[in-house]
Each structure stands twice: as C-alpha cells, then as structure tokens.
Amino acid sequence: DCICRVQKKHIGEGCDHSINNCLVFNKKENAFKHLDTIKTLTKDSFINKLRDASLEGLVPSTSNKQDGITYICNCCTCCCYPIRGSFALDLVHTWPEHAYRVILNDDDCISCGVCIDRCQFDVFKEVDGDIKADTKKCWGCGICTNSCPVEALSLDKK
C-alpha cells in the first residue's frame, strides 16, 4: 500500500486514488517472504499494476538501493510526501531528480485538452484555442505522453 496515501486518508485528507499500487522488488528470490504486507506478483501482474497506475494518472517514481532493492511508487501530487515536500521547500527540479522533459509538437497537436486533464504539474494550458506547454514545470513522468490521442507529446532526456 502507498504509505503516503494511507496516512493522508487516516487523517481525513486523502484523495480517491487507489492505495495498492506501490511496487518493490529485489534481485533475491523470496526476499520479502517474511513481510505480510507485501504480496508477490507475477511478471504480468506487475506490468498490469504499472499500466493501471498510469491509466489512473499516477506519477511513477523509482528508487534504487545499493542492496538491490528497487521501489516504484505511483504517486499523486496531493498525497505524496516527496512531491509535496519538493514544492513546500522550493526544491522542484532539484529533488527528486527529473531526467526527462516533455516536448509538445505543435503541428500534431489537435488541442483536445487530454494533457491538461492528465498532468498533475500544470504543465499544459489552453491559450487562444491552442495548447501550450510550460516545460519548466514538467517532472518527466510521461503520464501525458501515453494519453495523447495523436502522439503530439514525447519525452526528451534533459
């Protein structure tokens, strides 16, 4: 379960996003067998969890530990403590690091507004009937790129 979302719901401030979508894996087989809060997933189940989180509009973030443990959190801006902390401490684009930034192809964009609805970081705005992107706000999560119906959005490595 997403610890951030669980804590926020516990104090009555949580959102309606799903809770069971943070993923952790280790190179060692049965590494988490002793933990009853962690459920083992098949490869297909793991991929489905990632897809479902993306469809829900949750922002993927990863953390790799030296001991071989990798975390993939699927976050929302209203509950995620690292994202909220980044904004509160004016550390956006400093921490957590962002490796990608969105590119908007104006020629392909049909100004449908799906990106505006999907982006949790206010990157996109409608201006005089056209969609404009403020890429300085982009976290490089890709939620907008996988939902654009005409593939007018792509990610570029910073």
Side-chain angles (χ1 to χ4, degrees):
D1 290 348
C2 170
I3 189 67
C4 299
R5 229 168 276 124
V6 168
Q7 289 296 328
K8 293 285 282 181
K9 283 186 183 218
H10 180 69
I11 58 175
E13 298 176 5
C15 64
D16 291 328
H17 288 292
S18 60
I19 291 175
N20 186 256
N21 51 25
C22 288
L23 306 165
V24 59
F25 54 97
N26 190 305
K27 294 177 184 176
K28 299 174 190 164
E29 192 172 341
N30 297 320
F32 304 107
K33 190 175 182 177
H34 65 288
L35 298 172
D36 61 353
T37 58
I38 295 179
K39 179 172 68 171
T40 301
L41 301 175
T42 64
K43 180 180 176 181
D44 288 341
S45 295
F46 186 86
I47 291 168
N48 287 337
K49 282 275 187 195
L50 287 175
R51 185 182 328 104
D52 291 347
S54 177
L55 291 172
E56 195 173 330
L58 298 173
V59 177
S61 61
T62 63
S63 173
N64 296 314
K65 303 290 184 183
Q66 288 182 342
D67 57 6
I69 298 174
T70 300
Y71 301 90
I72 300 177
C73 292
N74 293 288
C75 307
C76 57
T77 54
C78 55
C79 294
C80 176
Y81 290 115
I83 291 174
R84 291 173 59 227
S86 177
F87 283 112
L89 298 173
D90 198 25
L91 295 173
V92 174
H93 299 302
T94 304
W95 178 88
E97 292 182 47
H98 310 113
Y100 294 91
R101 187 162 286 158
V102 71
I103 303 292
L104 170 61
N105 182 332
D106 293 323
D107 293 335
D108 291 341
C109 181
I110 59 172
S111 300
C112 66
V114 171
C115 55
I116 294 171
D117 295 336
R118 297 279 290 168
C119 180
Q120 293 196 39
F121 300 102
D122 261 349
V123 171
F124 303 97
K125 298 281 185 223
E126 186 269 322
V127 178
D128 298 326
D130 294 323
I131 302 295
K132 299 297 176 191
D134 182 354
T135 59
K136 291 179 289 216
K137 293 181 174 183
C138 181
W139 283 52
C141 68
I143 295 299
C144 60
T145 63
N146 66 18
S147 58
C148 180
V150 294
E151 300 180 3
L153 299 170
S154 60
L155 291 179
D156 189 37
K157 194 152 180 87
K158 293 200 297 185

